[in-house]
Amino acid sequence: MNWDQLICDTRFGLENVEQKKRGVRSDFQRDYDRLVFSSPFRRLQNKTQVFPLPGSVFVHNRLTHSLEVACVGRSMATEVGIALADRYHDRPWAPRLEALGEIVAAGCLAHDLGNPPFGHSGEKAISAYFSEGRGQELQPLLTPQQWADLTHFDGNANAFRLLTHQFNGRRNGGFAMTYSTLASIVKYPYEASLSGDKCKFGFFDSERESFQRVARALGMLPKENPQGLLSYARHPLVYLVEAADDICYEVMDIEDAHKLGWLPPQEVIPLFLSFYPEEKQGRMQRAMEHISDPNEKIGYLRSCVIGTLVNACSEAFIANEPAILRGELEGSLLRHIPALERDAYERCNKLSWERIYRASDVVDIELAGTSIITFLMEKLIDAVRYPSLNYSQLLLAKVPSQYEVNAPTLYGKLQAVIDHISAMTDVYALDMYLRLNGMSLKINN
């Protein structure tokens, strides 16, 4: 792959429309701004990241997480852009590398747009409805590719659909994002049938042609597989979006757990200090002697750790750039940073799984979210399959008109249901669940 082709400001759906450029903003900055002002982005404020949505202690939701990921991703990509501009200083397209920070920042903002309510348990609930629940009866009515989409539902693929699909009443091209921004969010650029047991893939069968169009224009490398299915090497900037996401959720989840009292400071402080050699640890401990608030101490160390990982991942990208352009780099950038930082990150990951992601309050959210989404899936899918029934007509009247509940195919109808449910906030999904069960009906005397 080559950067001259990989950095492309062509807008999806507007390829044949001449765009008049006004002002000083680049097209990639316009992508960023377009996302910030969008309804799907605003809805992230009421979608669970990991912890239950805040009471007296504010923890991260999908919105604050995405904003922080964008900050980290921009910093990382800017460092990479400066280094690559020096490496390719004699190429006529070298100045375009200045856009890397803008592209990655926009990609980071968009990376979670397709996630349903209730965190990753929401994704599992949707896929489990088809693989384990009542949805199993629909398999004979769908193609193998369509069935794989449903049983491996992934928020990443759903984000690509959200950004590119022309929903009812909307313009061609969806958000009409640039090709480079769209490609930067697709962590798994292959079909669902290639996802195996991981339920990770990049695009639904309905967006197959759309992704292929983007990939070909950017010169992304096709990858062969025995099944002959669509698969590509990642766009290089995916590595930076992925690293920014991994850094933020890992480090910030530990800080949130500390604020909630789940992890004591005497456990978190040594963990964060382990990213550094002993000499530097001593200097950092002396700096913290002037801080009495434990939250401030953790905040100081958190900022240090994020800065360290940003530098390490930037250097890993620069060092491995030739392999990345050949589509040969395996795993995330965090697997290619120096051993000291890599081992410390793995300790953070191990602690998170043992003490945070399986914590009782988190599991309670997953159980409740699974029940709510499964119920909504059952009711809405029955409604789109049997729209003439009285209950179906009442329920479908509550579905926003942008969703194609009257699509000509069963696959299209099922996608309309998933589009609607995945767009819901935690609060909206819970409210709809209660209303449909008659638990929040207000009757005036």
Side-chain angles (χ1 to χ4, degrees):
M1 294 178 278
N2 67 85
W3 289 111
D4 189 26
Q5 195 171 0
L6 289 165
I7 302 172
C8 174
D9 60 7
T10 299
R11 292 201 171 276
F12 186 84
L14 301 179
E15 292 87 350
N16 298 319
V17 178
E18 184 178 350
Q19 298 290 304
K20 294 182 179 180
K21 306 293 177 66
R22 296 177 181 176
V24 297
R25 290 185 302 158
S26 71
D27 279 292
F28 306 120
Q29 288 175 311
R30 293 174 193 273
D31 282 349
Y32 185 96
D33 296 347
R34 189 169 295 181
L35 289 164
V36 167
F37 285 92
S38 70
S39 295
F41 185 72
R42 287 195 300 275
R43 286 197 292 267
L44 294 178
Q45 67 183 313
N46 269 326
K47 288 194 176 187
T48 299
Q49 173 66 13
V50 172
F51 303 94
L53 291 177
S56 58
V57 178
F58 185 81
V59 292
H60 286 79
N61 53 44
R62 290 280 174 188
L63 181 74
T64 52
H65 167 72
S66 297
L67 290 168
E68 289 173 349
V69 174
C71 291
V72 170
R74 181 189 289 111
S75 296
M76 200 182 307
T78 299
E79 287 192 27
V80 169
I82 291 171
L84 294 184
D86 182 63
R87 178 176 291 177
Y88 297 111
H89 67 277
D90 57 341
R91 309 293 176 87
W93 45 262
R96 301 176 64 195
L97 292 164
E98 296 177 3
L100 296 194
E102 298 171 353
I103 299 169
V104 169
C108 289
L109 275 193
H111 83 282
D112 270 352
L113 283 186
N115 282 41
F118 307 110
H120 290 296
S121 63
E123 292 176 291
K124 295 175 186 175
I126 291 173
S127 60
Y129 173 81
F130 296 102
S131 62
E132 303 172 8
R134 280 186 53 196
Q136 293 178 84
E137 66 187 40
L138 302 175
Q139 183 175 3
L141 306 176
L142 300 163
T143 68
Q145 291 80 12
Q146 293 169 348
W147 184 245
D149 285 350
L150 301 174
T151 56
H152 297 80
F153 176 82
D154 179 63
N156 192 241
N158 200 43
F160 186 80
R161 173 176 170 81
L162 177 65
L163 293 173
T164 59
H165 182 67
Q166 184 178 5
F167 292 94
N168 286 338
R170 305 299 176 87
R171 66 178 170 184
N172 183 38
F175 274 55
M177 306 294 281
T178 62
Y179 279 18
S180 292
T181 295
L182 288 173
S184 74
I185 70 168
V186 183
K187 293 168 65 174
Y188 315 100
Y190 45 77
E191 297 184 53
S193 297
L194 294 173
S195 65
D197 297 330
K198 295 183 178 181
C199 290
K200 297 295 183 183
F201 63 103
F203 47 90
F204 299 122
D205 189 57
S206 51
E207 279 68 55
R208 188 180 191 275
E209 185 278 330
S210 296
F211 183 79
Q212 195 169 29
R213 188 198 320 173
V214 171
R216 285 175 172 171
L218 297 174
M220 294 167 60
L221 299 175
K223 302 185 78 170
E224 294 183 0
N225 57 82
Q227 301 95 315
L229 298 172
L230 197 64
S231 178
Y232 286 89
R234 287 175 158 188
H235 188 288
L237 298 185
V238 170
Y239 287 95
L240 298 176
V241 173
E242 177 184 51
D245 184 28
D246 289 349
I247 290 169
C248 286
Y249 80 69
E250 194 64 78
V251 177
M252 302 309 301
D253 286 353
I254 290 174
E255 184 180 23
D256 279 348
H258 171 263
K259 288 182 178 178
L260 290 169
W262 296 9
L263 296 175
Q266 57 267 30
E267 189 169 6
V268 177
I269 289 174
L271 184 66
F272 282 172
L273 285 173
S274 69
F275 281 85
Y276 304 97
E278 289 187 12
E279 181 182 350
K280 186 165 185 179
Q281 287 187 29
R283 294 198 300 269
M284 295 172 75
Q285 286 174 322
R286 287 191 292 274
M288 286 189 292
E289 290 175 358
H290 306 288
I291 306 172
S292 59
D293 185 344
N295 286 331
E296 284 297 307
K297 289 184 179 181
I298 301 302
Y300 161 71
L301 291 174
R302 175 258 302 155
S303 66
C304 293
V305 169
I306 289 178
T308 295
L309 290 175
V310 165
N311 292 334
C313 287
S314 300
E315 292 171 1
F317 186 99
I318 294 161
N320 290 282
E321 185 235 6
I324 291 172
L325 291 179
R326 294 193 302 269
E328 296 173 356
L329 187 69
E330 298 293 333
S332 69
L333 288 178
L334 285 160
R335 287 181 52 186
H336 299 274
I337 63 177
L340 178 66
E341 293 91 333
R342 185 177 67 246
D343 292 346
Y345 180 86
E346 288 303 321
R347 283 191 290 272
C348 290
N349 189 49
K350 184 173 184 292
L351 177 72
S352 295
W353 278 106
E354 292 175 352
R355 303 281 296 284
I356 299 176
Y357 305 141
R358 295 294 91 192
S360 178
D361 286 357
V362 174
V363 174
D364 285 347
I365 287 292
E366 292 188 358
L367 288 170
T370 298
S371 296
I372 291 168
I373 287 179
T374 300
F375 174 84
L376 295 178
M377 291 282 289
E378 289 177 352
K379 294 299 183 182
L380 285 164
I381 287 175
D382 282 348
V384 297
R385 292 186 70 196
Y386 309 108
S388 62
L389 299 179
N390 180 59
Y391 185 85
S392 298
Q393 292 180 38
L394 292 171
L395 183 54
L396 292 177
K398 295 181 65 65
V399 177
S401 61
Q402 71 187 76
Y403 302 119
E404 301 159 277
V405 294
N406 296 315
T409 65
L410 174 62
Y411 177 61
K413 289 180 170 69
L414 297 176
Q415 281 196 307
V417 170
I418 295 173
D419 288 336
H420 181 33
I421 291 177
S422 63
M424 294 178 183
T425 64
D426 295 16
V427 175
Y428 185 95
L430 173 59
D431 181 65
M432 188 172 185
Y433 171 83
L434 294 174
R435 287 176 182 273
L436 294 182
N437 279 289
M439 296 179 183
S440 62
L441 186 64
K442 295 180 180 179
I443 300 178
N444 296 324
N445 292 328

